[in-house]
Amino acid sequence: MTDRSGRRAPAASTRRPRRSARPGPPAGRGGHAAPGADVSDRFYRRLVLGMRNGVLAVTRDGRIAIINDVARRVLDVPPLDGYLGRDYATVLAGQPDIVRVLSTAFDLAHLPNRAELRLKPSGTVIGYTLSLIRNESGEPEGAAIFFKDLTLVEQMEERERLRDRLAALGEMAAAIAHEVKNPLAGIEVMAGLLRRRVADDPDALSLVSDIIGEAKTANAIVVEVLEFVRPIRLQVEQTSIAQVLHDAVATAERKVNRGGTRIAINLDGSLPPIKADHHQLCQLFSNLLINGLEALGGTGTVAITVTQGVEYQEPGTSPGGRAPDATIVVEVADDGPGLPPDIAERVFNPFFTTKPQGSGLGLAIVRKIVDAHNGHIDLATAPGQGTRFRVTLPLNAGEQWLQ
């Protein structure tokens, strides 16, 4: 074909425009893709697998569609292949709370958003959001749970709540203790004078001796209250955990009749020294030993095990971030009667005790000392299964007191 000037006109192209070899994601409900985006399904899968929060998605018929590494670590799922397509209730048999949440996803009118859940039996606290995965017609074809490990956050919040309670309680207890201490001293002195006058009367002498004994007991409780409410200022030094435990055993044996109870200490002689307050650590572990010796009543065994570990870090922490600090882990376990759950959850509360002559401050002081060293303490117990306290302390526990 030629135009009016006689030149040949270009032929009209019959070729279709080329399409991208890898189309972008489908435009789902509320989904957006940048113009010309060329993103594969593999990219989105890597995006989910690389997230620092836990992601677990299941299909409507109960099969696992995706689970990333953070979710696997938090939910304690072994690092094995082949989870995709398997029944989630079987894979997560050890996490009944998560199974329950996922099983109700398709029946709830309002799905939980930013809810919190404490996983059993690990005690891990997670914050989670549950959402439905819908197809092009808007029908739900799956569910996904997005969650974050809040264990460290929960521990810090609990410490703050404890500090607030202790501050208010401390002011009141200190005032009462000071008011009670002076009359007790007067009672003890006057009873001592009276004992001299009734030295020839055995019955009266016995009564006066009881008065003096009870006054001394009450005074010891007042002293313990004052010690508990007083702020801790650590006297930090390089100290040996082996020497700390040796001194703690000696202190506990002076306060409680050991009887036939065996104390077994298992520790590695190559453990490094710890920056901490030697005296405070002795009080911490002697209180735990006293607790175990009293529970055993002259029989059984108290086992002390010391190992070296690293601090807990939130799953998903960047590998290039700060390396976890080294820690010393001390477990004090007895094979006594154990504690029921309603008692176990209250043992660290100030003034809570199950002993007729107890002040209820021994374990509260333990927790206060652990907190002052930036450590944490865990309790594992059950009726008939004994009691185990696990104390974790950073090697540089008292370093901030040196600055």
Side-chain angles (χ1 to χ4, degrees), residues 50-51 65 82 145 154-155 174 183 186 209 227 244 250 273 275 278 289 313:
M51 293 179 68
I145 182 171
E154 181 75 10
Q155 290 176 352
S209 298
E227 182 179 356
V244 166
K275 293 181 181 177
H278 182 94
L289 282 167
Q313 281 194 325

Side-chain angles (χ1 to χ4, degrees), residues 49 73 86 106 162 182 250 341 364 387:
L49 293 176
R73 288 197 294 270
R86 291 181 57 186
F106 301 101
L162 179 62
N182 292 334
T387 300

Side-chain angles (χ1 to χ4, degrees), residues 151-193:
T151 303
L152 294 180
V153 175
E154 181 75 10
Q155 290 176 352
M156 288 188 291
E157 290 180 348
E158 177 59 26
R159 287 184 184 181
E160 290 301 320
R161 288 193 293 267
L162 179 62
R163 289 191 182 102
D164 291 342
R165 291 198 304 268
L166 293 183
L169 183 62
E171 294 180 3
M172 178 186 70
I176 295 175
H178 280 297
E179 293 297 325
V180 173
K181 189 175 178 62
N182 292 334
L184 283 175
I187 292 173
E188 190 173 345
V189 170
M190 288 184 285
L193 295 174

